[in-house]
C-alpha cells in the first residue's frame, strides 16, 4: 500500500468514497483516546454524580457509542458499517477525564473513524453537560492508539510503521 496517496481522491483530484468491494471481510479493531481538562470543582461534580443533569459519564458513554454508530452520517466519505462492538471507558487523571473507545467490525473497511468519533462525541457530551459551571474545559490529545486487521495490518501509536 502506498502511504503517500490520499485514497479519497480519484485521478482527477475529485473526492470519492473508496471502493472496498474487493477487500476481504476480516476482524478489524481500533482504539482511540482523548481527554477533557477542567477545573477541579467540575471534576468533583462529575465524580460525585451530583451534576445538575445527572450521571455525566454514563450519558457520555452512551453518546460515544451512538457517535460511533453515526460516523458515516458525520464524515462524508466514511462507509456505513455494521459495528460488532463499541466500548467507551473513562479514567480520571489529574483534573481531566480520559476517554478510551474501542470499535470492532467484521468487515471490509477499518473502524478508526468510529473509534475517534466515539471519543470526540463522548468528550463533547461531558462538555455539554458541565458547561454551565465550566466553559473553559479543553478537549485535547484525541488520537488513534492502535488498529488491527485488514490489508495494511496493525498500527500502534509510537511504534515505527513498515
Amino acid at each position: 500500500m502506498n502511504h503517500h496517496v490520499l485514497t479519497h481522491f480519484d485521478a482527477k483530484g475529485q473526492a470519492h468514497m473508496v471502493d472496498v468491494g474487493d477487500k476481504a471481510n476480516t476482524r478489524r479493531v481500533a482504539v482511540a483516546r482523548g481527554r477533557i481538562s477542567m477545573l477541579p470543582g467540575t471534576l468533583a461534580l462529575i465524580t460525585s454524580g451530583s451534576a445538575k443533569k445527572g450521571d455525566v459519564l454514563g450519558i457520555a458513554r452512551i453518546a460515544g457509542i451512538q457517535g460511533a454508530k453515526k460516523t458515516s452520517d458525520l464524515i462524508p466519505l466514511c462507509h456505513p458499517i455494521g459495528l460488532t462492538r463499541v466500548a467507551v471507558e473513562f479514567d480520571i487523571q489529574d483534573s481531566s477525564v480520559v476517554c478510551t473507545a474501542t470499535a470492532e467490525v467484521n468487515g471490509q473497511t477499518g473502524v478508526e473513524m468510529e473509534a475517534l468519533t466515539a471519543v470526540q462525541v463522548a468528550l463533547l457530551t461531558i462538555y455539554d453537560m458541565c458547561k454551565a459551571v465550566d466553559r473553559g474545559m479543553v478537549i485535547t490529545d484525541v488520537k488513534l492508539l492502535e488498529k488491527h486487521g485488514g490489508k495494511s495490518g496493525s498500527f500502534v501509536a509510537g511504534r515505527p510503521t513498515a
Side-chain angles (χ1 to χ4, degrees), residues 38-54:
M38 61 195 66
L39 296 170
T42 308
L43 188 60
L45 282 173
I46 291 172
T47 57
S48 69
S50 62
K52 191 172 183 182
K53 294 184 183 179

Side-chain angles (χ1 to χ4, degrees), residues 84-100:
T84 56
R85 177 175 176 256
V86 179
V88 177
E89 299 172 2
F90 299 103
D91 293 304
I92 307 302
Q93 295 179 2
D94 303 318
S95 287
S96 299
V97 176
V98 176
C99 176
T100 304

